[in-house]
Amino acid sequence: DGEVLESHKRKLELSCRTGDVMTVKKLLDCEPALAKGAGSSVSPLMWSAYFGHLGVVRMLLEKGADPNH
């Protein structure tokens, strides 16, 4: 469902901004493709790196986030 996916994207973005590792893990366990940040100008990886949340950065990279996006 598109609405659920959008909700998960918003939750992931907020969790990456705040460094909420547990929520990021739960979301990626449900939807691993979220790590790639498709359809967003700022990826989850960018948000977590910008705010210095290295645990989240590592998790996203392990789940397939593109370090060039």
Side-chain angles (χ1 to χ4, degrees):
D1 179 63
E3 193 172 305
V4 171
L5 182 59
E6 285 303 314
S7 173
H8 285 174
K9 284 181 181 179
R10 287 190 300 275
K11 287 179 188 175
L12 182 62
E13 180 183 319
L14 178 61
S15 298
C16 288
R17 288 176 170 205
T18 61
D20 185 349
V21 175
M22 293 307 296
T23 300
V24 171
K25 180 175 178 1
K26 288 178 187 176
L27 289 166
L28 294 179
D29 284 347
C30 289
E31 287 285 340
L34 288 174
K36 297 181 180 179
S40 176
S41 61
V42 180
S43 71
L45 182 61
M46 288 177 168
W47 283 122
S48 56
Y50 179 80
F51 287 106
H53 303 301
L54 298 181
V56 176
V57 168
R58 285 186 193 104
M59 187 181 308
L60 290 165
L61 289 170
E62 288 171 3
K63 294 287 188 173
D66 180 357
N68 297 310
H69 176 258

Coordinates of all heavy atoms in Angstrom, one line a residue:
D1 N 0.8 -1.2 0.0 CA 0.0 0.0 0.0 C 0.9 1.2 0.0 O 1.8 1.4 0.8 CB -0.9 -0.1 1.2 CG -1.8 1.1 1.3 OD1 -2.7 1.3 0.4 OD2 -1.7 1.8 2.4
G2 N 0.6 2.1 -0.9 CA 1.4 3.4 -1.1 C 1.4 4.3 0.2 O 2.4 4.9 0.5
E3 N 0.3 4.3 0.8 CA 0.1 5.2 2.0 C 1.0 4.7 3.1 O 1.7 5.4 3.8 CB -1.3 5.2 2.4 CG -1.6 6.3 3.4 CD -3.1 6.4 3.7 OE1 -3.9 6.6 2.7 OE2 -3.5 6.3 4.9
V4 N 1.1 3.4 3.3 CA 1.9 2.8 4.4 C 3.4 3.0 4.0 O 4.2 3.4 4.9 CB 1.6 1.3 4.5 CG1 2.6 0.6 5.4 CG2 0.2 1.0 5.0
L5 N 3.8 2.8 2.8 CA 5.1 3.0 2.4 C 5.6 4.5 2.6 O 6.7 4.7 3.2 CB 5.3 2.7 0.9 CG 6.8 2.8 0.4 CD1 7.7 1.9 1.1 CD2 6.8 2.5 -1.1
E6 N 4.7 5.4 2.3 CA 5.0 6.9 2.6 C 5.2 7.1 4.0 O 6.0 7.9 4.5 CB 4.0 7.8 1.9 CG 4.1 7.9 0.4 CD 5.4 8.4 0.0 OE1 5.9 9.4 0.5 OE2 6.0 7.8 -1.0
S7 N 4.3 6.5 4.8 CA 4.4 6.7 6.3 C 5.7 6.1 6.8 O 6.4 6.7 7.6 CB 3.2 5.9 7.0 OG 3.4 5.9 8.4
H8 N 6.2 5.0 6.3 CA 7.4 4.4 6.7 C 8.6 5.3 6.3 O 9.6 5.4 7.0 CB 7.6 3.0 6.1 CG 6.8 2.0 6.8 ND1 6.7 0.7 6.4 CD2 6.0 2.0 7.9 CE1 5.9 0.0 7.2 NE2 5.4 0.8 8.1
K9 N 8.5 5.9 5.1 CA 9.6 6.8 4.6 C 9.7 8.0 5.6 O 10.8 8.4 5.9 CB 9.3 7.3 3.2 CG 9.5 6.3 2.1 CD 9.2 6.9 0.8 CE 9.4 5.9 -0.4 NZ 9.1 6.5 -1.7
R10 N 8.6 8.5 6.0 CA 8.6 9.7 6.9 C 9.2 9.3 8.2 O 10.0 10.0 8.8 CB 7.2 10.3 7.0 CG 6.7 11.1 5.8 CD 5.5 11.8 6.1 NE 4.3 11.0 6.5 CZ 3.5 10.4 5.6 NH1 3.7 10.5 4.3 NH2 2.5 9.7 6.0
K11 N 8.8 8.1 8.7 CA 9.3 7.6 10.0 C 10.8 7.4 9.9 O 11.5 7.7 10.9 CB 8.6 6.4 10.4 CG 7.2 6.6 10.9 CD 6.5 5.3 11.3 CE 5.1 5.5 11.6 NZ 4.4 4.2 11.9
L12 N 11.2 6.8 8.8 CA 12.7 6.6 8.6 C 13.4 7.9 8.6 O 14.5 8.0 9.2 CB 12.9 5.8 7.4 CG 14.4 5.4 7.1 CD1 14.9 4.5 8.2 CD2 14.5 4.7 5.8
E13 N 12.9 8.9 7.9 CA 13.6 10.2 7.8 C 13.8 10.8 9.2 O 14.9 11.2 9.6 CB 12.9 11.1 6.9 CG 13.6 12.5 6.8 CD 12.8 13.5 5.9 OE1 12.3 13.1 4.9 OE2 12.8 14.6 6.4
L14 N 12.7 10.8 9.9 CA 12.7 11.4 11.3 C 13.7 10.6 12.2 O 14.5 11.1 12.9 CB 11.3 11.4 11.9 CG 11.3 11.9 13.3 CD1 11.7 13.3 13.4 CD2 9.8 11.7 13.9
S15 N 13.7 9.2 12.1 CA 14.5 8.4 12.9 C 16.0 8.6 12.5 O 16.9 8.5 13.4 CB 14.1 6.9 12.7 OG 12.8 6.7 13.2
C16 N 16.3 8.8 11.2 CA 17.7 9.1 10.8 C 18.1 10.4 11.3 O 19.3 10.6 11.7 CB 17.8 9.0 9.3 SG 17.6 7.3 8.7
R17 N 17.3 11.4 11.3 CA 17.6 12.7 11.8 C 17.9 12.7 13.3 O 18.7 13.5 13.8 CB 16.5 13.7 11.6 CG 16.3 14.1 10.1 CD 15.1 15.0 10.0 NE 15.0 15.6 8.7 CZ 14.4 16.7 8.4 NH1 13.8 17.4 9.4 NH2 14.4 17.2 7.2
T18 N 17.2 11.9 14.1 CA 17.3 11.9 15.5 C 18.2 10.8 16.1 O 18.5 10.7 17.2 CB 15.9 11.7 16.2 OG1 15.3 10.5 15.8 CG2 15.0 12.9 15.8
G19 N 18.6 9.9 15.2 CA 19.5 8.8 15.6 C 18.8 7.6 16.3 O 19.4 6.9 17.1
D20 N 17.6 7.4 16.0 CA 16.8 6.4 16.7 C 17.1 5.0 16.0 O 16.4 4.6 15.1 CB 15.3 6.7 16.6 CG 14.4 5.8 17.3 OD1 14.9 4.7 17.7 OD2 13.2 6.1 17.4
V21 N 18.1 4.4 16.5 CA 18.6 3.2 15.8 C 17.6 2.1 15.9 O 17.4 1.3 14.9 CB 19.9 2.7 16.5 CG1 20.4 1.4 16.0 CG2 21.0 3.7 16.4
M22 N 16.9 1.9 17.0 CA 15.9 0.8 17.1 C 14.7 1.0 16.0 O 14.3 0.0 15.4 CB 15.3 0.8 18.5 CG 16.3 0.3 19.5 SD 17.2 -1.2 19.1 CE 15.9 -2.4 19.2
T23 N 14.2 2.2 15.9 CA 13.2 2.4 14.9 C 13.7 2.2 13.5 O 13.0 1.6 12.7 CB 12.6 3.8 15.1 OG1 12.0 3.9 16.4 CG2 11.5 4.1 14.0
V24 N 14.9 2.7 13.2 CA 15.5 2.5 11.9 C 15.6 1.0 11.6 O 15.2 0.5 10.5 CB 16.9 3.1 11.8 CG1 17.6 2.7 10.5 CG2 16.7 4.7 11.8
K25 N 16.1 0.2 12.6 CA 16.2 -1.2 12.4 C 14.9 -1.9 12.1 O 14.7 -2.7 11.2 CB 16.8 -1.9 13.7 CG 17.0 -3.4 13.5 CD 17.7 -4.0 14.7 CE 17.9 -5.4 14.7 NZ 17.4 -6.2 13.6
K26 N 13.8 -1.5 12.9 CA 12.5 -2.1 12.7 C 12.0 -1.8 11.3 O 11.4 -2.7 10.6 CB 11.5 -1.6 13.8 CG 11.8 -2.1 15.1 CD 10.8 -1.5 16.1 CE 11.1 -1.9 17.5 NZ 10.2 -1.3 18.5
L27 N 12.1 -0.5 10.9 CA 11.6 -0.2 9.5 C 12.4 -0.9 8.4 O 11.8 -1.3 7.5 CB 11.7 1.4 9.4 CG 10.8 2.2 10.2 CD1 11.2 3.6 10.2 CD2 9.4 2.0 9.7
L28 N 13.7 -1.0 8.6 CA 14.5 -1.7 7.5 C 14.2 -3.2 7.5 O 14.4 -3.8 6.5 CB 16.0 -1.4 7.7 CG 16.4 0.1 7.5 CD1 17.9 0.3 7.7 CD2 16.0 0.6 6.1
D29 N 13.9 -3.7 8.7 CA 13.6 -5.2 8.7 C 12.3 -5.4 8.0 O 12.2 -6.4 7.3 CB 13.4 -5.6 10.2 CG 14.8 -5.8 10.9 OD1 15.8 -5.8 10.2 OD2 14.8 -6.0 12.1
C30 N 11.4 -4.5 8.0 CA 10.1 -4.6 7.3 C 10.2 -4.3 5.8 O 9.7 -4.9 5.0 CB 9.1 -3.6 7.9 SG 8.4 -4.1 9.5
E31 N 11.0 -3.2 5.5 CA 11.2 -2.7 4.2 C 12.6 -2.4 3.9 O 13.0 -1.2 3.9 CB 10.3 -1.4 4.0 CG 8.9 -1.6 3.9 CD 8.4 -2.2 2.6 OE1 9.2 -2.1 1.6 OE2 7.3 -2.8 2.5
P32 N 13.5 -3.4 3.6 CA 14.9 -3.1 3.4 C 15.2 -2.1 2.3 O 16.1 -1.3 2.3 CB 15.5 -4.5 3.0 CG 14.5 -5.5 3.5 CD 13.2 -4.8 3.5
A33 N 14.3 -2.0 1.3 CA 14.5 -1.0 0.2 C 14.4 0.4 0.6 O 14.9 1.3 0.0 CB 13.4 -1.3 -0.9
L34 N 13.9 0.7 1.8 CA 13.8 2.0 2.3 C 15.2 2.6 2.5 O 15.4 3.8 2.5 CB 13.1 2.1 3.7 CG 11.6 1.9 3.7 CD1 11.0 1.8 5.1 CD2 10.9 3.0 2.9
A35 N 16.2 1.7 2.8 CA 17.6 2.2 3.0 C 18.1 3.0 1.8 O 19.0 3.8 1.9 CB 18.5 1.0 3.3
K36 N 17.6 2.7 0.6 CA 18.1 3.3 -0.6 C 17.6 4.7 -0.8 O 18.1 5.5 -1.6 CB 17.8 2.4 -1.8 CG 18.5 1.1 -1.7 CD 18.2 0.2 -2.9 CE 19.0 -1.1 -2.6 NZ 18.8 -2.1 -3.6
G37 N 16.5 5.1 -0.1 CA 16.0 6.4 -0.2 C 15.4 6.8 -1.5 O 15.5 8.0 -1.9
A38 N 14.9 5.9 -2.3 CA 14.4 6.2 -3.6 C 13.2 7.2 -3.5 O 12.4 7.2 -2.6 CB 13.9 4.9 -4.2
G39 N 13.2 8.1 -4.4 CA 12.1 9.1 -4.5 C 12.3 10.3 -3.5 O 11.4 11.1 -3.3
S40 N 13.5 10.4 -3.0 CA 13.7 11.5 -2.0 C 15.0 12.3 -2.5 O 16.0 11.7 -2.9 CB 13.9 10.9 -0.6 OG 14.3 12.0 0.3
S41 N 15.0 13.6 -2.3 CA 16.1 14.4 -2.7 C 17.2 14.3 -1.7 O 18.4 14.4 -2.0 CB 15.8 15.8 -2.9 OG 15.2 16.4 -1.7
V42 N 16.9 14.0 -0.4 CA 17.9 13.8 0.6 C 17.6 12.4 1.2 O 16.5 12.1 1.7 CB 17.7 14.8 1.8 CG1 18.7 14.6 2.8 CG2 17.9 16.2 1.2
S43 N 18.6 11.5 1.0 CA 18.5 10.1 1.4 C 18.5 10.0 3.0 O 19.1 10.8 3.7 CB 19.5 9.3 0.8 OG 20.8 9.5 1.4
P44 N 18.0 8.8 3.5 CA 18.2 8.5 4.9 C 19.7 8.5 5.3 O 20.0 9.0 6.4 CB 17.6 7.1 5.0 CG 16.6 7.0 3.9 CD 17.2 7.8 2.8
L45 N 20.5 8.1 4.4 CA 22.0 8.0 4.7 C 22.5 9.5 4.9 O 23.3 9.7 5.8 CB 22.7 7.3 3.6 CG 24.2 7.2 3.8 CD1 24.5 6.3 5.0 CD2 24.8 6.5 2.6
M46 N 22.1 10.4 4.0 CA 22.5 11.8 4.1 C 22.1 12.4 5.5 O 22.8 13.1 6.1 CB 22.0 12.6 3.0 CG 22.6 12.3 1.7 SD 21.8 13.3 0.4 CE 22.9 13.1 -1.0
W47 N 20.8 12.1 5.8 CA 20.3 12.7 7.1 C 21.1 12.2 8.3 O 21.5 13.0 9.1 CB 18.8 12.4 7.3 CG 17.9 13.2 6.5 CD1 17.0 12.8 5.6 CD2 17.8 14.7 6.5 NE1 16.3 13.8 5.0 CE2 16.8 15.0 5.5 CE3 18.4 15.7 7.1 CZ2 16.4 16.3 5.3 CZ3 18.1 17.0 6.9 CH2 17.1 17.3 6.0
S48 N 21.3 10.9 8.3 CA 22.0 10.3 9.5 C 23.4 10.8 9.5 O 24.0 11.1 10.6 CB 21.9 8.8 9.5 OG 22.3 8.2 8.3
A49 N 24.1 10.9 8.4 CA 25.5 11.4 8.4 C 25.6 12.8 8.8 O 26.4 13.2 9.5 CB 26.1 11.2 7.0
Y50 N 24.6 13.6 8.2 CA 24.6 15.1 8.6 C 24.5 15.3 10.1 O 25.2 16.2 10.6 CB 23.5 15.7 7.8 CG 23.4 17.2 8.1 CD1 24.2 18.1 7.4 CD2 22.4 17.7 9.0 CE1 24.1 19.5 7.7 CE2 22.4 19.1 9.3 CZ 23.2 19.9 8.6 OH 23.1 21.3 8.9
F51 N 23.7 14.5 10.7 CA 23.5 14.7 12.2 C 24.4 13.9 13.0 O 24.3 13.9 14.2 CB 22.0 14.4 12.5 CG 21.1 15.5 12.1 CD1 20.2 15.3 11.0 CD2 21.0 16.7 12.7 CE1 19.4 16.3 10.6 CE2 20.2 17.8 12.3 CZ 19.4 17.5 11.2
G52 N 25.4 13.2 12.4 CA 26.4 12.4 13.1 C 26.0 11.2 13.8 O 26.6 10.7 14.7
H53 N 25.0 10.5 13.3 CA 24.5 9.3 13.9 C 25.2 8.1 13.2 O 24.6 7.4 12.3 CB 23.0 9.2 13.8 CG 22.3 10.3 14.4 ND1 22.5 10.6 15.7 CD2 21.5 11.3 13.9 CE1 21.8 11.7 16.0 NE2 21.2 12.1 15.0
L54 N 26.4 7.8 13.6 CA 27.2 6.8 12.9 C 26.6 5.4 13.0 O 26.8 4.6 12.0 CB 28.6 6.8 13.4 CG 29.4 8.1 13.2 CD1 30.8 8.0 13.8 CD2 29.4 8.5 11.8
G55 N 25.9 5.0 14.0 CA 25.3 3.7 14.1 C 24.2 3.5 13.1 O 24.1 2.5 12.5
V56 N 23.5 4.6 12.8 CA 22.4 4.6 11.8 C 23.1 4.5 10.4 O 22.7 3.8 9.6 CB 21.5 5.8 11.9 CG1 20.5 5.8 10.8 CG2 20.8 5.7 13.3
V57 N 24.2 5.3 10.2 CA 24.9 5.3 9.0 C 25.3 3.9 8.6 O 25.1 3.4 7.5 CB 26.1 6.2 9.0 CG1 27.0 6.0 7.8 CG2 25.6 7.7 9.0
R58 N 26.0 3.2 9.6 CA 26.5 1.8 9.4 C 25.3 0.9 9.0 O 25.4 0.1 8.1 CB 27.2 1.3 10.6 CG 28.5 1.9 10.8 CD 29.3 1.3 12.0 NE 30.4 2.1 12.3 CZ 30.5 2.9 13.3 NH1 29.5 3.0 14.2 NH2 31.6 3.6 13.6
M59 N 24.2 1.0 9.7 CA 23.1 0.1 9.5 C 22.5 0.3 8.1 O 22.2 -0.7 7.4 CB 22.0 0.4 10.5 CG 20.8 -0.6 10.5 SD 19.6 -0.3 11.7 CE 20.5 -0.2 13.2
L60 N 22.4 1.6 7.7 CA 21.9 1.8 6.3 C 22.8 1.3 5.3 O 22.3 0.7 4.3 CB 21.7 3.3 6.2 CG 20.6 4.0 7.0 CD1 20.7 5.5 7.0 CD2 19.2 3.6 6.4
L61 N 24.1 1.4 5.5 CA 25.1 0.9 4.5 C 25.0 -0.6 4.4 O 25.0 -1.2 3.3 CB 26.5 1.4 4.8 CG 26.7 2.9 4.6 CD1 28.1 3.3 5.2 CD2 26.7 3.2 3.1
E62 N 24.9 -1.2 5.6 CA 24.7 -2.7 5.6 C 23.5 -3.2 4.9 O 23.4 -4.3 4.3 CB 24.7 -3.2 7.0 CG 26.1 -3.1 7.7 CD 26.0 -3.4 9.2 OE1 24.9 -3.7 9.8 OE2 27.0 -3.2 9.9
K63 N 22.4 -2.3 4.9 CA 21.1 -2.7 4.3 C 21.1 -2.3 2.8 O 20.1 -2.4 2.2 CB 20.0 -2.1 5.0 CG 19.8 -2.6 6.4 CD 19.3 -4.0 6.4 CE 18.9 -4.5 7.8 NZ 18.2 -5.8 7.9
G64 N 22.2 -1.7 2.3 CA 22.2 -1.4 0.9 C 22.1 0.0 0.5 O 21.9 0.3 -0.7
A65 N 22.2 0.9 1.4 CA 22.1 2.3 1.1 C 23.3 2.7 0.1 O 24.4 2.2 0.3 CB 22.2 3.2 2.3
D66 N 23.1 3.6 -0.8 CA 24.1 4.0 -1.8 C 24.9 5.1 -1.2 O 24.3 6.2 -1.0 CB 23.4 4.4 -3.1 CG 24.4 4.9 -4.1 OD1 25.6 4.9 -3.9 OD2 23.9 5.2 -5.3
P67 N 26.1 5.0 -0.9 CA 26.9 6.1 -0.3 C 27.1 7.3 -1.3 O 27.5 8.3 -0.8 CB 28.3 5.4 0.0 CG 28.4 4.2 -0.9 CD 26.9 3.8 -1.1
N68 N 26.7 7.1 -2.5 CA 26.8 8.2 -3.5 C 25.5 9.0 -3.7 O 25.4 9.9 -4.5 CB 27.3 7.7 -4.8 CG 28.7 7.1 -4.7 OD1 29.6 7.8 -4.2 ND2 28.9 5.9 -5.2
H69 N 24.5 8.6 -2.8 CA 23.2 9.3 -3.0 C 22.8 9.9 -1.6 O 22.8 9.3 -0.6 CB 22.1 8.3 -3.4 CG 20.8 9.0 -3.5 ND1 19.8 8.8 -2.5 CD2 20.2 9.8 -4.4 CE1 18.7 9.4 -2.8 NE2 18.9 10.1 -3.9

